[in-house]
Amino acid sequence: MCGIVGYVGSEQAAPILLHGLSKLEYRGYDSAGMAVYDGEKIHVKKATGRLKVLSELTHDGTMLPGHVGIGHTRWATHGAPSEKNAHPHCSDDKMVVMVHNGIIENYQELKDKLLRKGYSFYSETDTEVAVKLIDYYYKKYEGTPVDAINHAMVRIRGSYALAVMFKDYPEEIYAARKDSPMIIGITHGEDGKEGAAYLASDVPAILNYTRHVYYIGNMEMARLRKGEVTFFNLDGDEIEKELTEVMEKYFKKQ
Ligand code: GLU
């Protein structure tokens, strides 16, 4: 097991991601990484070993500017623990960038298909196959990120919690889940402050920022914007979710 964190808001994303990942360290990991979008470029940094290494490498996140980002601690299942195999992973043109917890069981079959379509691979991970499959459908159908992720979810067998950024959508993060944990948090803007949205493998990662959480179901997707989360089913239709308030027991643990 390992961890995922995501943030869309008005603050600098990287320090929030590092803080969230530190709260997920108990889940175990061998490497860590972050991708932060500054509106022009998606900056990616990865490091093997402790989260502290990634923190130092990015000067506590200050070297990765931007208000939208995803972070990951990896427990290697496909490919050795290395910087190359660490997440985030991205499409060849860096238009799609993703972190993933879980295992893609049919990754070899999907990889063979993508190789036939002209894709190449720089890592040994199942995750790189999944992000390139999403990229493939995104370009093939020229639809929305939800359409592309939907198509990929239908083809992928295995377990996943995904957080995906698309270069074409600088103010958004997309999430999908099957048999791996993930929660989504929200703050609504007030007192002149803008809202934010968060995602994480577990509640402690975002408790510093919000108590208001959605539980994303199996085979569901979400689109995160500042202070706004929309959920979708496998048909791409919007679905309603109840916002819940995190129970007191979590605060005692903090
Ligand atoms: N299967 C992926 C990998 O080996 C993700 C592992 C994880 O859940 O951290 O890179």
Side-chain angles (χ1 to χ4, degrees):
M1 277 217 293
C2 38
I4 284 184
V5 180
Y7 171 78
V8 190
S10 311
E11 309 288 324
Q12 287 298 312
I16 294 173
L17 300 178
L18 285 170
H19 172 81
L21 290 175
S22 76
K23 296 288 179 191
L24 300 175
E25 280 192 292
Y26 73 90
R27 295 164 65 84
Y29 65 101
D30 50 57
S31 51
M34 293 188 285
V36 179
Y37 198 175
D38 65 7
E40 280 187 20
K41 189 168 183 251
I42 303 178
H43 305 270
V44 177
K45 281 276 182 240
K46 315 179 191 192
T48 51
R50 309 306 298 169
L51 194 56
K52 201 165 159 280
V53 182
L54 183 66
S55 237
E56 282 168 7
L57 188 71
T58 60
H59 296 190
D60 295 327
T62 54
M63 279 177 64
L64 291 183
H67 303 279
V68 183
I70 52 180
H72 187 261
T73 46
R74 176 176 187 238
W75 185 306
T77 65
H78 291 61
S82 66
E83 196 183 319
K84 178 175 54 103
N85 287 332
H87 302 207
H89 286 289
C90 50
S91 60
D92 295 338
D93 56 10
K94 303 205 166 43
M95 295 295 278
V96 189
V97 180
M98 182 173 99
V99 292
H100 162 227
N101 281 168
I103 291 175
I104 312 293
E105 283 163 13
N106 58 338
Y107 83 100
Q108 192 58 55
E109 169 197 330
L110 297 171
K111 190 171 185 172
D112 292 344
K113 167 193 165 78
L114 291 167
L115 284 166
R116 286 196 299 275
K117 300 285 178 193
Y119 281 80
S120 57
F121 291 86
Y122 58 82
S123 81
E124 300 144 71
T125 63
D126 49 343
T127 305
E128 188 190 352
V129 175
V131 71
K132 289 183 174 176
L133 189 68
I134 293 172
D135 178 71
Y136 169 71
Y137 288 125
Y138 185 57
K139 294 190 166 84
K140 178 173 176 179
Y141 296 114
E142 297 180 350
T144 64
V146 167
D147 297 329
I149 296 169
N150 249 329
H151 275 107
M153 284 170 82
V154 170
R155 288 301 306 269
I156 288 171
R157 285 202 309 277
S159 60
Y160 49 82
L162 306 178
V164 197
M165 294 197 294
F166 289 77
K167 194 144 193 290
D168 294 336
Y169 295 82
E171 301 288 326
E172 299 176 354
I173 298 175
Y174 290 83
R177 188 181 93 74
K178 178 172 176 266
D179 299 334
S180 286
M182 181 157 63
I183 51 109
I184 292 175
I186 190 160
T187 56
H188 297 291
E190 51 189 46
D191 301 333
K193 274 182 78 176
E194 284 185 293
Y198 304 79
L199 64 82
S201 310
D202 197 3
V203 170
I206 61 172
L207 270 187
N208 246 16
Y209 315 105
T210 186
R211 303 170 179 210
H212 296 108
V213 169
Y214 292 103
Y215 293 92
I216 176 169
N218 236 12
M219 302 294 277
E220 290 178 352
M221 279 170 291
R223 181 185 61 213
L224 283 68
R225 293 176 173 157
K226 279 181 193 171
E228 183 193 321
V229 183
T230 311
F231 291 90
F232 302 89
N233 64 17
L234 209 49
D235 292 327
D237 296 328
E238 284 189 27
I239 48 176
E240 293 295 323
K241 288 264 159 202
E242 201 181 321
L243 190 60
T244 58
E245 189 156 347
V246 172
M247 287 187 303
E248 205 57 33
K249 67 175 178 139
Y250 277 108
F251 294 100
K252 294 203 179 108
K253 267 206 281 181
Q254 283 292 292

